[in-house]
Amino acid sequence: MPNSTRPPARSRADKPKDSSGDEIIALARGLTLLRRVASADAPISNRELAELTGIPKPTVSRITATLVGAGFLFQLPDSERFVLTASVLELSNGFLRNFDIRARARPFLTDLAERTSLSVHLGARDRLDMVVIDAIRPRSAILVSRLEVGSRMDLTRTAVGRAYLAVLAEPERAALMAGLQAASGDDWPHIHARLAASLEETRALGFAIATGEWYADLNAIAAGFIGPSGERYAINCGGAAHLCPREWLIEHAAPALTECVARIVREIGGAPNQRLRD
């Protein structure tokens, strides 16, 4: 009986490679580069992107070329520097269009701004920063904040960041604090001591306050709340330090802020700021 024929065994090198892992890494790196370009104060080069991200320069060059081809980056003429294009704005507009909480909360945020004559911001977290998702300027104010939608705020040194931390459940707060520690390096003991004291104050007052810590001439007060699906937000109102000293914020702005949060929570079906637990 003739021997049955079998296909030759394939060597390990002949086996098809699973490229999904490489594709995921490339995607993550591409998003990292987009974030770096977005946060840069000026057009940025491949070399600078490589230094900032730790991604090898040849890889950076390939990714930025791909992003230029896809329409997300624009390379300045006769230059090696890049800026974002309107395609990125389209993505953000798509996010904001479907972000119904802005429309639901805006009347109450506007009322808060007019009652306090302070700039009011609705914030959500992105990684280790707070990001402004709505900004209201009072008509009566002479000096107002320059923060716009999309602006990033320090999570540890601002009232809005502390209010966000305070409204998290303990496991989420612990995980976020671990991330902040890793990013802070040797500065963490000082940052943690200041943050722990501020969160203890937030526990006592029911709202967070920061005076001249992020910017020397800026004071602010903030409170967090929970959305209907469990997402966390924080509302910040602040202004020039000489116009809203700490005592004024506590006596006059805090009641208006607390009322604003309560009205938004009733409107969206969320939950108010939960007190920090021991």
Side-chain angles (χ1 to χ4, degrees):
M1 186 174 182
N3 292 333
S4 60
T5 59
R6 296 181 180 177
R10 280 194 300 191
S11 68
R12 183 173 299 176
D14 293 330
K15 293 181 179 178
K17 294 181 179 179
D18 180 6
S19 62
S20 60
D22 292 337
E23 291 172 354
I24 292 171
I25 292 173
L27 174 60
R29 286 175 166 176
L31 294 174
T32 296
L33 294 181
L34 282 175
R35 289 187 177 112
R36 284 296 183 179
V37 176
S39 63
D41 295 328
I44 191 168
S45 68
N46 284 328
R47 178 181 59 80
E48 291 167 332
L49 287 169
E51 292 174 352
L52 289 169
T53 62
I55 300 172
K57 186 174 180 295
T59 303
V60 170
S61 299
R62 289 195 298 271
I63 294 175
T64 53
T66 300
L67 292 171
V68 168
F72 289 101
L73 289 183
F74 175 73
Q75 186 171 1
L76 299 181
D78 302 320
S79 171
E80 295 182 354
R81 295 182 174 274
F82 301 90
V83 294
L84 296 178
T85 70
S87 294
V88 177
L89 186 59
E90 291 175 8
L91 293 177
S92 65
N93 286 340
F95 166 75
L96 293 175
R97 271 197 309 273
N98 297 299
F99 209 70
D100 186 56
I101 190 172
R102 296 173 73 242
R104 305 278 290 276
R106 175 161 284 199
F108 308 116
L109 300 177
T110 301
D111 182 64
L112 175 62
E114 296 303 330
R115 289 178 62 184
T116 61
S117 295
L118 300 175
S119 295
V120 173
H121 305 96
L122 177 62
R125 182 172 67 89
D126 177 36
R127 293 168 294 159
L128 299 181
D129 291 323
M130 295 298 294
V131 176
V132 176
I133 59 176
D134 206 359
I136 309 293
R137 293 186 175 93
R139 290 172 296 179
S140 56
I142 299 175
L143 298 174
V144 295
S145 168
R146 296 180 181 178
L147 292 173
E148 304 283 356
V149 172
S151 296
R152 306 182 80 85
M153 295 181 285
D154 187 283
L155 205 151
T156 64
R157 292 185 295 158
T158 60
V160 68
R162 294 166 180 174
Y164 178 87
L165 280 167
V167 81
L168 291 177
E170 179 56 37
E172 296 173 277
R173 186 164 53 248
L176 181 52
M177 294 282 274
L180 291 168
Q181 179 178 3
S184 301
D186 294 339
D187 294 332
W188 178 246
H190 172 70
I191 293 173
H192 181 261
R194 182 177 59 193
L195 188 56
S198 68
L199 290 178
E200 186 65 29
E201 181 179 58
T202 301
R203 182 206 306 270
L205 296 176
F207 52 84
I209 186 168
T211 54
E213 294 182 57
W214 191 32
Y215 289 108
D217 59 348
L218 181 65
N219 292 348
I221 193 171
F225 63 96
I226 305 170
S229 300
E231 62 276 19
R232 267 66 170 179
Y233 306 99
I235 298 171
N236 182 82
C237 56
H242 68 281
L243 296 176
C244 54
R246 176 185 172 88
E247 294 74 16
W248 186 91
L249 286 173
I250 294 174
E251 293 178 11
H252 298 280
L257 173 63
T258 302
E259 181 181 342
C260 175
V261 170
R263 294 169 72 189
I264 291 174
V265 165
R266 285 196 299 269
E267 173 69 19
I268 66 174
N273 181 14
Q274 60 186 35
R275 293 297 183 103
L276 289 171
R277 296 178 180 177
D278 294 331

